[in-house]
Amino acid sequence: MTAAVFFGCTFIAFGPAISLFLFTIAREPLRVIFLIAGAFFWLVSLLLASLVWFISVQISNKESASQQKGLLIFGVVLSVLLQETFPAFHEVFKCFFCFFVLVSGLGFGFMSGAFSVVNILADSVGPGTVGIHGDSQHYFLSSAFMTMAIILLHMFWGVIFFDGCEKRRWFVVAAVVVSHLVVSCLTFQNPQYVSSLVPTYIIMLSMGIWAFYTAGGSLRNLKLCLTCKDKDFLLANHRPR
Amino acid sequence: MENNAEDVENSMEQQQANTAPEPGQQPQEPPATRARSRGGSGAGAADGGGGDGGGGNGTGPEQNGQPPTARPARVVDAEEEEDEEMTLKYGAKHVIMLFVPVTLCMVVVVATIKSVSFYTRNDGQRLIYTPFPEETDTVAQRAVNSILNATIMITVIIVMTLVLVLLYKYRCYKVIQGWLFLSSLLLLFFFSFIYLKEVFKTYNVAMDCITLAIVVWNFGVVGMICIHWKGPLRLQQAYLIMISALMALVFIKYLPEWTAWLILAVISVYDLLAVLCPKGPLRILVETAQERNEPIFPALIYSSTMVWLVNMADTDRPKRNSAEAGSVQQPTQESAVESPAPSSPSQDDGGFTSSWVSQQQHRLGPLQSTEETRREIQQMPSARPPVEDDDEERGVKLGLGDFIFYSMLVGKASATASGDWNTTLACFVAILIGLCLTLLLLAIFRKALPALPISIFFGLVFYFATDNLVRPFMDQLALHQFYI
């Protein structure tokens, strides 16, 4: 565990998110505010879920490890559901700009990723041996990859969820919630990283493609963008009214 | 160090007192400035920007001395919508102009706390204002001691504020100026020397006295020049951020834990009362300054742009006193901030005589920015000649006391929370959101509002909630590598 591990894992986890931030958000002050607002709402949902979990732990049998694990799983599911209710409040801001969905989804993702991985990164700078007690040696790396996937997923979910809300397509909304739950439940299989990371990435790619088409992208736009003829293709179809 | 701490405390206390009135004074800022700031600071800053924007700042009133031209044609919806959009963007720009320095200050404080153990080490020293120890046998005793400490501290702050109001009322400007000067001297030389010393100790860097003396001397002198006279804007902003961070670090080191949290809470309440109550000292200060139509002493207020002399014309910056008092070193009071920026010679002479200019010049330099976000912005009764509005030039101001208390909260969170980074992050986001909301309220109400309460309230709630509820949950999740 060295600075190399620290920097490597940090860039893996936050690289795409930070580059997204720098290229699309950093220049517009309003977007930065929405990013922070998204982070704030995620934090509030986490707080509520932790409160429920904490209370349930206090009234449960602390000795039983399986019960504790069960409660933890319950806590995870609850927090996922709570997280999905918060974007609904964003209806309020609909009137302003549509891109804020992307931004607040990224805010959600940033906060979620940060809370999951920052302490781990801080530990990775110090001395120690990973997996000395027989645990997996890829703890840091897998955490970093998982975090990256989660951050991008939050952003895609935000876009799709919002579009579903706007067009009143409830199956879309349900699909987002279900896929979030699936991804969280996949992590229950850690440390068998193959079975948790690979499906997560598959889900992330499919969500990404779905979000791309939802936001109005198409193969043509993609080609134009890649040949630098059409900037901001994702945002081009979202104009403030 | 004890003595020093005490001395520092003394000056800090004085500062505090000074700052307290500041908020009151803020409103006194030049109407033009205020109008602008009002507009600018909140989301609605329409007035400068293009006449009344959606926020309708412009229209206001007469009192703000808004240029009569600020009257948008509301008739057309599309135009209105676009105005709203512009207003929102303009307001967002000003919010970001405050987010960046606040974030920088917090980053400096957290980085120092995490690396230099001096500021988290309990050396057994206390400030004279917090004489009761917190290492007691029982929890009840500790609670009582911390309440007593907080009471003493807030009493000192109130007394200082009243002293400042009196000094201002009886026109003892020299005293106040000298006070501020001494405070910033202490901060720039002595505290930064200690900071450097501790950093060198932490990284085991050998440094000879001569080099150190040259470095500290240059740092201090340039700082004094930039803050009290003129200097490049970025340099001045950097110095203000640095001294806020230094002050916050001093508070983090010398205030025992429970006392610190209590003081934060009580100061927010005090800020609220002092600014909004009709008989609040700050409000009185502001009103006095308004009556006299005097300029205020340049306070240590962070400003994001240079102010034009034109703005200074109308107002009188009577409030300087408070603002200044507060700002220097004061970590205390939320530093009303305002000080509409004194003298910045900047671009435009506006026909001011050189004597007036030189009088202004010895006040703060380029601090000004036309808006003070210190919420003290009040309606200015005088009508002002329309000032050139230039959206880009208008800036925003925030008192150094705000910086100091925000950084103190985040620094304390990172020093004492066992959840470490999660708690720090949560407090950081909470404070930024509080600042955003405060600026929004400012744009809506368009009158002086205190800056501390909302942010500190959110910060405290998130600190205790994250440390006690979220941390165990996240620890368990990280242990099993569950993701939510």
Side-chain angles (χ1 to χ4, degrees):
Chain A
M1 300 208 300
T2 55
V5 171
F6 171 74
F7 281 113
C9 289
T10 306
F11 290 139
I12 289 175
F14 291 111
I18 291 182
S19 31
L20 268 167
F21 174 79
L22 285 176
F23 288 124
T24 63
I25 299 177
R27 263 177 263 131
E28 293 276 328
L30 199 58
R31 295 183 198 179
V32 176
I33 295 175
F34 278 130
L35 184 87
I36 307 227
F40 178 73
F41 283 125
W42 186 88
L43 215 56
V44 173
S45 76
L46 178 67
L47 215 84
L48 294 173
S50 312
L51 181 66
V52 172
W53 174 82
F54 191 78
I55 294 175
S56 63
V57 160
Q58 297 301 319
I59 58 182
S60 74
N61 173 15
K62 297 220 179 124
E63 308 309 320
S64 148
S66 63
Q67 203 183 45
Q68 294 303 311
K69 193 155 178 181
L71 276 178
L72 202 59
I73 293 173
F74 161 71
V76 167
V77 169
L78 178 68
S79 85
V80 165
L81 292 174
L82 273 173
Q83 280 176 47
E84 295 304 335
T85 63
F86 272 86
F89 293 127
H90 286 173
E91 291 285 311
V92 171
F93 301 107
K94 245 171 49 145
C95 51
F96 293 134
F97 306 97
C98 300
F99 63 76
F100 92 86
V101 179
L102 192 99
V103 168
S104 63
L106 192 58
F108 257 55
F110 254 129
M111 215 51 193
S112 166
F115 261 62
S116 309
V117 96
V118 158
N119 278 330
I120 297 174
L121 287 175
D123 283 340
S124 75
V125 184
T129 308
V130 189
I132 197 170
H133 291 295
D135 298 310
S136 162
Q137 291 193 336
H138 304 295
Y139 186 77
F140 290 132
L141 211 55
S142 61
S143 299
F145 276 109
M146 191 71 199
T147 305
M148 176 176 83
I150 292 272
I151 294 178
L152 292 176
L153 271 170
H154 268 105
M155 197 174 63
F156 300 145
W157 282 329
V159 173
I160 301 170
F161 186 94
F162 214 76
D163 188 68
C165 276
E166 244 187 288
K167 299 199 178 119
R168 302 271 183 258
R169 290 209 215 126
W170 303 117
F171 74 90
V172 167
V173 173
V176 167
V177 177
V178 164
S179 72
H180 193 163
L181 277 172
V182 164
V183 168
S184 282
C185 295
L186 279 173
T187 62
F188 293 158
Q189 297 180 36
N190 284 333
Q192 276 91 38
Y193 297 127
V194 175
S195 53
S196 73
L197 274 180
V198 172
T200 305
Y201 269 79
I202 293 174
I203 294 181
M204 182 187 85
L205 284 170
S206 48
M207 285 288 146
I209 295 172
W210 190 357
F212 178 67
Y213 281 108
T214 307
S218 67
L219 281 177
R220 194 183 72 89
N221 282 352
L222 191 59
K223 259 190 263 178
L224 283 175
C225 168
L226 288 174
T227 52
C228 295
K229 288 210 185 94
D230 184 14
K231 293 195 167 75
D232 285 342
F233 64 86
L234 255 184
L235 308 174
N237 295 335
H238 290 262
R239 305 296 315 148
R241 293 172 279 93
Chain B
M1 190 60 189
E2 296 83 341
N3 293 338
N4 296 329
E6 291 177 6
D7 290 343
V8 167
E9 269 314 294
N10 280 326
S11 51
M12 278 179 356
E13 289 313 322
Q14 298 184 340
Q15 299 299 336
Q16 291 179 351
N18 293 334
T19 39
E22 285 179 20
Q25 294 193 339
Q26 302 311 337
Q28 302 296 345
E29 301 302 22
T33 318
R34 284 188 199 260
R36 285 226 181 184
S37 45
R38 204 152 342 171
S41 46
D47 62 76
D52 301 334
N57 297 334
T59 17
E62 14 353 70
Q63 299 160 354
N64 295 335
Q66 305 273 346
T69 51
R71 211 144 293 266
R74 302 250 188 187
V75 285
V76 184
D77 274 352
E79 229 178 79
E80 211 174 290
E81 230 174 69
E82 193 169 309
D83 276 346
E84 252 179 54
E85 209 176 292
M86 289 307 298
T87 302
L88 205 63
K89 282 195 169 160
Y90 183 74
K93 192 165 86 121
H94 286 263
V95 173
I96 297 299
M97 282 202 264
L98 284 186
F99 270 15
V100 172
V102 170
T103 306
L104 277 176
C105 194
M106 288 196 230
V107 162
V108 169
V109 170
V110 170
T112 308
I113 294 273
K114 287 292 183 189
S115 55
V116 179
S117 63
F118 172 73
Y119 289 104
T120 47
R121 210 164 54 216
N122 184 358
D123 290 335
Q125 296 166 352
R126 281 191 303 279
L127 300 172
I128 55 163
Y129 305 102
T130 55
F132 296 96
E134 276 196 21
E135 297 88 16
T136 56
D137 297 327
T138 64
V139 173
Q141 184 61 34
R142 185 176 186 186
V144 166
N145 277 0
S146 53
I147 290 176
L148 288 173
N149 280 340
T151 313
I152 295 176
M153 195 79 157
I154 201 71
T155 312
V156 171
I157 288 173
I158 294 177
V159 164
M160 292 296 188
T161 306
L162 293 174
V163 165
L164 185 73
V165 173
L166 284 174
L167 278 177
Y168 185 69
K169 256 182 143 54
Y170 293 109
R171 301 176 192 268
C172 308
Y173 301 140
K174 291 288 179 201
V175 178
I176 297 175
Q177 260 186 328
W179 195 355
L180 288 180
F181 191 81
L182 277 177
S183 306
S184 53
L185 202 77
L186 193 66
L187 206 60
L188 278 171
F189 286 95
F190 186 67
F191 283 154
S192 55
F193 166 68
I194 290 177
Y195 180 83
L196 266 183
K197 203 175 65 161
E198 294 304 326
V199 167
F200 288 147
K201 267 193 218 168
T202 303
Y203 291 105
N204 206 18
V205 172
M207 176 69 63
D208 58 292
C209 298
I210 300 176
T211 312
L212 190 62
I214 291 176
V215 166
V216 170
W217 171 256
N218 279 297
F219 177 79
V221 168
V222 174
M224 291 301 284
I225 292 176
C226 273
I227 292 172
H228 290 278
W229 192 49
K230 287 188 258 195
L233 182 67
R234 291 288 175 222
L235 195 62
Q236 184 188 53
Q237 292 174 339
Y239 266 107
L240 291 175
I241 292 174
M242 281 191 274
I243 64 176
S244 306
L246 282 174
M247 205 63 230
L249 285 169
V250 166
F251 269 174
I252 292 171
K253 178 167 173 69
Y254 288 109
L255 287 180
E257 200 175 324
W258 289 18
T259 307
W261 297 118
L262 267 178
I263 285 180
L264 276 171
V266 171
I267 280 237
S268 309
V269 172
Y270 171 70
D271 194 17
L272 195 67
L273 293 175
V275 171
L276 295 180
C277 287
K279 283 297 167 197
L282 298 180
R283 201 167 182 153
I284 292 175
L285 206 53
V286 174
E287 282 159 11
T288 314
Q290 264 176 338
E291 279 164 36
R292 290 187 194 167
N293 244 24
E294 276 170 358
I296 312 179
F297 285 106
L300 290 180
I301 292 184
Y302 176 92
S303 121
S304 57
T305 60
M306 309 279 275
V307 110
W308 299 327
L309 285 180
V310 168
N311 293 333
M312 312 230 308
D314 28 24
T315 16
D316 22 1
R317 310 257 169 131
K319 307 311 172 186
R320 285 297 170 85
N321 297 342
S322 45
E324 300 182 327
S327 35
V328 184
Q329 291 116 343
Q330 306 252 28
T332 50
Q333 310 288 358
E334 38 269 41
S335 357
V337 203
E338 308 314 346
S339 27
S343 47
S344 46
S346 47
Q347 303 88 357
D348 185 339
D349 188 302
F352 295 104
T353 64
S354 55
S355 59
W356 185 86
V357 167
S358 55
Q359 187 213 8
Q360 293 303 328
Q361 272 182 6
H362 82 280
R363 317 271 187 167
L364 260 192
L367 282 191
Q368 56 299 322
S369 42
T370 48
E371 349 247 296
E372 348 104 19
T373 42
R374 216 10 213 172
R375 307 266 185 278
E376 303 293 335
I377 300 185
Q378 289 177 359
Q379 303 288 343
M380 296 312 292
S382 55
R384 268 183 306 259
V387 189
E388 306 171 36
D389 46 21
D390 183 344
D391 282 354
E392 303 314 311
E393 291 302 327
R394 260 186 266 140
V396 79
K397 290 187 215 173
L398 184 64
L400 285 200
D402 289 331
F403 277 88
I404 291 167
F405 281 122
Y406 293 162
S407 311
M408 184 181 137
L409 193 148
V410 175
K412 231 19 200 181
S414 73
T416 60
S418 33
D420 272 353
W421 293 97
N422 286 348
T423 316
T424 311
L425 271 177
C427 290
F428 168 72
V429 171
I431 286 179
L432 285 187
I433 289 289
L435 187 61
C436 204
L437 280 177
T438 311
L439 291 175
L440 189 67
L441 281 180
L442 185 67
I444 293 174
F445 288 111
R446 305 170 56 69
K447 65 181 220 130
L449 294 175
L452 278 185
I454 301 180
S455 287
I456 299 287
F457 172 70
F458 276 170
L460 288 175
V461 163
F462 272 82
Y463 170 74
F464 288 110
T466 311
D467 199 32
N468 298 313
L469 298 175
V470 176
R471 185 185 48 83
F473 185 46
M474 294 306 295
D475 280 348
Q476 286 295 306
L477 288 182
L479 192 65
H480 298 281
Q481 255 186 325
F482 292 171
Y483 280 78
I484 51 170

